Amino acid sequence: LAFFNFYLPKTIAGMHIISNCCQYLKKLILSYTRLVEEDELCNIASNLVNLEVLVLQYCKNAVTNRALAAIFKHLTRLRELDLSGNNDFDVNALRGSAVNPFPIQRLQRLEKLNLKSCQQLSNDEFLATLKFPFLRSLSFGRGIYTDSGIQTLVTQCPLLEELIITYCPTLGRSALFCIAKALPRLRVLHLLHCAQVDKSVRLILYGECPLLTDLEISEKRSKMQTYFHQ
């Protein structure tokens, strides 16, 4: 079930009908929509407990610490979660707190996580919250991450096959070596607008990652190189 870019009265949209009458729903997409607010998202999470895919791209005002606590509490069957473009929550929502004691780590079946353009998740504290033994795909960026933070991330998510990092000015060669050595299953690596990464690292990455077939590197917004390895 998908809603894109709707701006309708809630009586017409019937979000309460969805949450109350679609208990066996497996996939729900609410992208670029103003249909949902915090209370409604909490209600959806508590009722649609069979969801395996939840996409909440740019759902302004809905994706808050409280709403995420409800998602992490009830939707433990999720395999895919997309929170990209939402800035109304902080790292405490992922880590869990006394007020909202349900961390993102409860989603141990998660295979794909998209946190792109969540500008508040901008340091190593955020990376430390990502502990997923079965995660296959991860996207994030717009932060100042250290080599130690990257090392923690790849250690906690050892089965990553796709990693997309955007707008990270501190990402350099040593962090890339951590990625290459810790992720032998890596197939897709995109390093977009990462100022310290240049195309000279591509041979090293291909040497360390035998399955890597899609490597995209851009140092600046206007300079991009994509490589396909056979």
Side-chain angles (χ1 to χ4, degrees):
L1 184 63
F3 292 90
F4 296 93
N5 201 27
F6 280 96
Y7 188 26
L8 299 172
K10 295 180 180 57
T11 54
I12 296 176
M15 296 307 296
H16 63 286
I17 297 176
I18 294 172
S19 62
N20 292 329
C21 300
C22 301
Q23 289 91 346
Y24 297 102
L25 198 67
K26 298 288 188 181
K27 182 175 183 177
L28 178 61
I29 300 174
L30 297 170
S31 294
Y32 301 90
T33 179
R34 300 187 184 187
L35 285 174
V36 185
E37 295 183 357
E38 180 187 68
D39 287 343
E40 293 165 320
L41 187 53
C42 291
N43 190 41
I44 287 172
S46 63
N47 284 290
L48 303 184
V49 296
N50 292 301
L51 278 178
E52 296 181 1
V53 177
L54 179 60
V55 179
L56 299 169
Q57 293 179 333
Y58 292 90
C59 288
K60 300 299 183 183
N61 305 317
V63 183
T64 63
N65 285 21
R66 176 170 165 260
L68 288 179
I71 290 172
F72 302 155
K73 177 181 180 180
H74 299 289
L75 303 184
T76 55
R77 298 185 182 185
L78 280 179
R79 294 182 295 102
E80 179 178 337
L81 178 62
D82 190 334
L83 301 174
S84 57
N86 292 294
N87 297 292
D88 292 319
F89 69 94
D90 58 33
V91 69
N92 289 319
L94 306 183
R95 183 175 51 203
S97 64
V99 177
N100 298 305
F102 300 101
I104 194 171
Q105 280 182 247
R106 287 175 55 84
L107 308 182
Q108 285 298 291
R109 298 185 184 184
L110 210 58
E111 297 179 5
K112 184 174 183 178
L113 178 61
N114 189 345
L115 294 165
K116 287 194 295 186
S117 298
C118 296
Q119 300 181 35
Q120 71 279 25
L121 305 178
S122 59
N123 56 40
D124 290 350
E125 188 178 12
F126 147 66
L127 297 179
T129 68
L130 306 179
K131 299 178 181 179
F132 299 109
F134 302 110
L135 196 67
R136 299 291 193 274
S137 174
L138 175 63
S139 303
F140 67 93
R142 295 188 179 276
I144 306 298
Y145 310 112
T146 67
D147 295 347
S148 176
I150 295 296
Q151 178 67 60
T152 298
L153 170 68
V154 297
T155 301
Q156 295 178 161
C157 304
L159 298 185
L160 280 175
E161 298 177 2
E162 178 180 57
L163 180 60
I164 299 173
I165 304 176
T166 59
Y167 296 100
C168 180
T170 55
L171 191 69
R173 281 176 171 262
S174 56
L176 292 181
F177 291 147
C178 289
I179 292 171
K181 290 183 179 299
L183 302 177
R185 296 170 177 259
L186 198 63
R187 297 177 181 273
V188 178
L189 178 61
H190 292 182
L191 307 170
L192 309 180
H193 317 304
C194 298
Q196 295 189 41
V197 178
D198 60 69
K199 62 182 181 181
S200 66
V201 303
R202 68 185 189 276
L203 293 179
I204 298 173
L205 290 171
Y206 283 132
E208 295 288 343
C209 304
L211 301 180
L212 187 63
T213 57
D214 183 352
L215 173 62
E216 187 171 326
I217 296 174
S218 67
E219 302 169 52
K220 298 179 180 179
R221 185 182 289 271
S222 59
K223 186 177 182 181
M224 184 175 294
Q225 295 288 335
T226 302
Y227 307 96
F228 296 96
H229 184 61
Q230 294 183 349

